[in-house]
Amino acid sequence: MKLINTREWKSLELDAKQWIDGHQRIESLFVSQPDRLAHFSFELDGLFVDLSKNSITASIQSHLNQLATASGVEAYRDKMFQGEKINLTEGRAVLHVALRNVTYHRGVFSAVSSIFVDGIDVMVGVVDTLNKMGKFTETVRSGEWKGATGRSIKTIVNIGIGGSDLGPKMLTRALTPYIQEGLSVKFVSNVDGTDIAETLNGLDPETSLFIIASKTFTTQETMTNAETAKRWFLQTHKPTDIAKHFVAASTAEKLVAAFGIDTANMFPFWDWVGGRYSSPSAIGLPVMLAIGRDHYAELLSGYHIMDQHFLKTPIEKNIPVQMALTGIWYNNFMHAESIAILPYDQTLEHFAAYFQQGDMESNGKYVNLAGERITDYQTGPIVWGEPGTNGQHAFYQLIHQGTKLIPADFIGMVKSHHPEGDHHVKLMANFFAQTEALMCGLSADTLRAQGCSESLIPHRTFEGNRPTNSILINELTPKTLGMLVALYEHKIFVQGVIWQVNSFDQYGVELGKVGAKAILSELENNKVGQHDASTTILMERFLKKANP
Ligand code: F6P
């Protein structure tokens, strides 16, 4: 049966109509349901998730839960954890959960349990790679690993893009307080020469280590940047020195060797690790180098805690499922087009960008698993955001008083790594005030009582009723960060199941890539081929300027 014709979907459509027609308000739900927080807030190991400031009544919550059950969320989740090939279009298992199915004791990673794909226990490779990464990391961090001229490594440069860049960049930045003193980690991703040029400027080749991070080792942006870095390095070094200054995180051994990297320094991963889910794989090497093996193990333990919670907790208490259902409510029944992710922590400055890929590349699909065009409901939302309080002085105006509904996730810490003076209490006062103001608004009556002039009342009134999720974390540590990332990953998974899309392919990025290859050859040969009038004039103008 079509999703929109199911009993669960119909009930929710009715709920939404009643909510809107009844002009109901979120804050009044705290009165009608005095134990609301018990139903809408969740706690797991230092992570408190409050979903109570949403336009979701107890009855809507139960209809959403029924939708999750009827959609087979639990069965799909179990298939993922068991290594079934649920990425149907690519015929692959989806096992990023295997990457953190590990324990750690005195420098050694071991598997928690076996996970089989095609009769092979993938945990053997996972553990081997982690231990190899661990050993390599310790030699670099201790200074034992020497560059070609005998000097130890001071700068790590990760060259990758998309999932081979955003994840490690976000994690490394978020864990800044854990980075070894004297070690700096840089990320290059854009094929725009400015990115690599600015990174290489002032860099000392003798103390630099490049990680070429590419699952396929064919991605145009990454390979162009890698070749440029190699050319720069070879201005001062011999080709045989490459092995001491370039390593790879990849699945493509032959291409890695052809580049000149010693395959002993290649850290593999597998086809069942999707790019945007790959940060806990070998793609996490810059993170491990930055924070060390012990902290990296804590990060993986955080992911694992959330994985196990997702796997074992009933739908009603399952945090990723509940967050996913809240998102479904706004996306499909309240007509919201986007969600904002607003971390009140400067070190989470790349978090929204990371989950922009995580969510939009996963669920930005208009074809369902059966290959049919989805015409009657919305799939993945637009994801955007910036850290508070900067966002408050930029785009919160629209969230408060714009014509669009923007559900927002607020993420903050109880304890800061930089409690300088009263900064942290001021930061968090803004977090709490914003979520309250978005919900309660400011009425005309209150403004009148405050003596506001009648002409200004429409401008200064806030309707409120703007929904938010609040995630309050005791402290941003490797463990809680791992939990937070896994929470969003599983939320995306649940939504993909309900929308019946394959969250694990990304054909949508292919067309532009193919086009760019063809156009590149035309530009290089100064010969514009068959294009529409607009593309032709752009290319001609570009060629004229480039070769006047
Ligand atoms: O953007 C498309 C994509 O395939 C992502 O899924 C992936 O993370 C990225 O490109 C990089 O690919 P690779 O690791 O193979 O260089």
Side-chain angles (χ1 to χ4, degrees):
M1 190 194 291
K2 281 187 120 190
L3 179 60
I4 61 152
N5 293 332
T6 59
R7 188 172 50 84
E8 295 75 19
W9 197 271
K10 294 267 173 229
S11 306
L12 287 160
E13 277 178 342
L14 194 64
D15 290 335
K17 186 168 168 18
Q18 283 171 352
W19 178 271
I20 294 163
D21 293 351
H23 302 287
Q24 296 194 61
R25 294 199 57 86
I26 301 172
E27 71 264 38
S28 65
L29 300 178
F30 289 89
V31 181
S32 57
Q33 189 189 12
D35 62 347
R36 183 166 175 78
L37 270 173
H39 289 271
F40 288 92
S41 67
F42 309 88
E43 187 150 18
L44 182 69
D45 237 321
L47 205 84
F48 179 69
V49 180
D50 176 11
L51 307 183
S52 64
K53 289 194 185 87
N54 282 295
S55 57
I56 299 178
T57 62
S59 142
I60 296 172
Q61 188 187 35
S62 122
H63 292 151
L64 287 166
N65 289 339
Q66 286 163 18
L67 176 68
T69 306
S71 303
V73 164
E74 289 161 301
Y76 249 87
R77 172 201 62 193
D78 295 350
K79 282 185 191 180
M80 172 170 74
F81 277 80
Q82 285 158 8
E84 276 194 41
K85 296 190 175 170
I86 59 168
N87 175 353
L88 294 179
T89 52
E90 296 179 327
R92 292 175 182 169
V94 174
L95 270 180
H96 42 280
V97 292
L99 302 168
R100 49 264 193 153
N101 180 37
V102 293
T103 53
Y104 178 76
H105 185 61
R106 295 194 181 181
V108 180
F109 290 94
S110 339
V112 171
S113 56
S114 297
I115 300 177
F116 292 93
V117 175
D118 294 330
I120 293 167
D121 182 1
V122 300
M123 290 311 301
V124 176
V126 168
V127 163
D128 277 356
T129 302
L130 276 171
N131 284 322
K132 183 174 166 182
M133 285 165 66
K135 273 196 194 129
F136 177 72
T137 294
E138 293 314 298
T139 59
V140 172
R141 286 166 60 90
S142 65
E144 196 187 310
W145 178 280
K146 302 286 183 216
T149 55
R151 295 176 65 192
S152 47
I153 300 300
K154 298 219 173 334
T155 308
I156 315 285
V157 181
N158 190 78
I159 298 181
I161 196 163
S164 302
D165 165 72
L166 289 163
K169 183 162 79 182
M170 182 277 288
L171 294 170
T172 305
R173 175 69 180 112
L175 297 173
T176 303
Y178 298 85
I179 298 178
Q180 173 164 299
E181 236 186 279
L183 197 63
S184 102
V185 188
K186 297 174 186 290
F187 291 87
V188 178
S189 55
N190 200 330
V191 76
D192 181 342
T194 307
D195 202 3
I196 186 81
E198 287 181 351
T199 306
L200 296 178
N201 189 13
L203 202 69
D204 183 350
E206 293 184 40
T207 57
S208 297
L209 178 75
F210 292 88
I211 302 172
I212 313 303
S214 176
K215 186 170 165 179
T216 53
F217 230 72
T218 57
T219 304
Q220 186 200 54
E221 293 88 339
T222 301
M223 296 326 296
T224 305
N225 281 323
E227 290 294 347
T228 301
K230 188 163 80 174
R231 262 198 320 276
W232 170 84
F233 178 77
L234 289 175
Q235 286 169 9
T236 50
H237 285 73
K238 309 185 291 296
T240 46
D241 296 339
I242 289 175
K244 288 276 165 213
H245 293 269
F246 286 76
V247 301
S250 185
T251 54
E253 192 167 343
K254 278 194 188 136
L255 295 175
V256 169
F259 183 87
I261 290 174
D262 180 354
T263 49
N265 301 321
M266 167 181 149
F267 300 88
F269 55 114
W270 308 272
D271 73 350
W272 43 262
V273 183
R276 54 196 172 275
Y277 297 94
S278 65
S279 17
S281 72
I283 290 295
L285 184 61
V287 187
M288 199 194 261
L289 283 161
I291 66 172
R293 186 169 54 181
D294 292 0
H295 284 133
Y296 193 81
E298 281 175 33
L299 174 72
L300 295 184
S301 79
Y303 277 100
H304 187 62
I305 290 169
M306 188 55 77
D307 292 344
Q308 290 301 300
H309 166 86
F310 177 51
L311 179 64
K312 294 181 177 155
T313 312
I315 277 178
E316 306 75 48
K317 291 276 163 216
N318 196 306
I319 309 175
V321 176
Q322 291 302 314
M323 261 187 77
L325 292 173
T326 304
I328 296 266
W329 170 246
Y330 295 115
N331 191 67
N332 295 101
F333 302 100
M334 301 295 278
H335 314 298
E337 294 274 319
S338 77
I339 57 166
I341 302 183
L342 309 170
Y344 278 64
D345 188 301
Q346 193 58 32
T347 66
L348 287 179
E349 64 181 328
H350 302 310
F351 193 79
Y354 176 56
F355 276 109
Q356 204 165 49
Q357 184 199 18
D359 205 325
M360 294 171 77
E361 201 166 271
S362 295
N363 289 339
K365 318 253 157 96
Y366 60 64
V367 169
N368 69 13
L369 282 164
E372 299 154 348
R373 177 71 161 89
I374 299 169
T375 52
D376 40 19
Y377 61 88
Q378 292 282 329
T379 60
I382 300 157
V383 178
W384 58 284
E386 276 291 318
T389 57
N390 293 1
Q392 288 176 205
H393 291 271
F395 51 77
Y396 278 36
Q397 163 66 40
L398 187 146
I399 304 182
H400 279 283
Q401 288 188 316
T403 52
K404 293 178 173 60
L405 172 66
I406 317 245
D409 291 352
F410 281 67
I411 306 170
M413 310 300 145
V414 174
K415 225 171 116 193
S416 166
H417 284 286
H418 293 285
E420 326 283 339
D422 56 1
H423 283 252
H424 192 58
V425 73
K426 282 181 175 160
L427 173 72
M428 293 308 289
N430 275 282
F431 173 129
F432 303 136
Q434 286 293 337
T435 61
E436 188 176 42
L438 284 163
M439 174 171 73
C440 299
L442 181 62
S443 71
D445 288 348
T446 310
L447 284 166
R448 248 173 231 120
Q450 288 170 355
C452 179
S453 75
E454 277 306 315
S455 63
L456 276 183
I457 282 182
H459 302 281
R460 296 190 56 190
T461 302
F462 288 69
E463 287 172 359
N465 236 6
R466 268 55 176 170
T468 55
N469 295 330
S470 295
I471 302 177
L472 188 59
I473 301 173
N474 286 354
E475 190 177 10
L476 192 60
T477 62
K479 184 176 114 178
T480 54
L481 179 63
M483 291 173 70
L484 182 68
V485 174
L487 166 61
Y488 275 83
E489 286 179 349
H490 297 319
K491 174 199 120 157
I492 293 164
F493 173 87
V494 171
Q495 294 185 333
V497 172
I498 293 174
W499 292 324
Q500 302 173 359
V501 296
N502 179 7
S503 304
F504 301 103
D505 61 15
Q506 55 284 318
Y507 292 112
V509 297
E510 291 306 321
L511 186 61
K513 279 194 207 170
V514 175
K517 225 183 216 173
I519 287 185
L520 175 63
S521 129
E522 293 173 24
L523 292 175
E524 282 175 342
N525 294 307
N526 207 358
K527 198 169 158 233
V528 179
Q530 288 293 308
H531 298 279
D532 60 88
S534 161
T535 309
T536 303
I537 194 79
L538 291 167
M539 289 173 68
E540 283 174 355
R541 279 183 75 89
F542 176 81
L543 282 173
K544 240 188 238 163
K545 280 257 180 242
N547 316 302

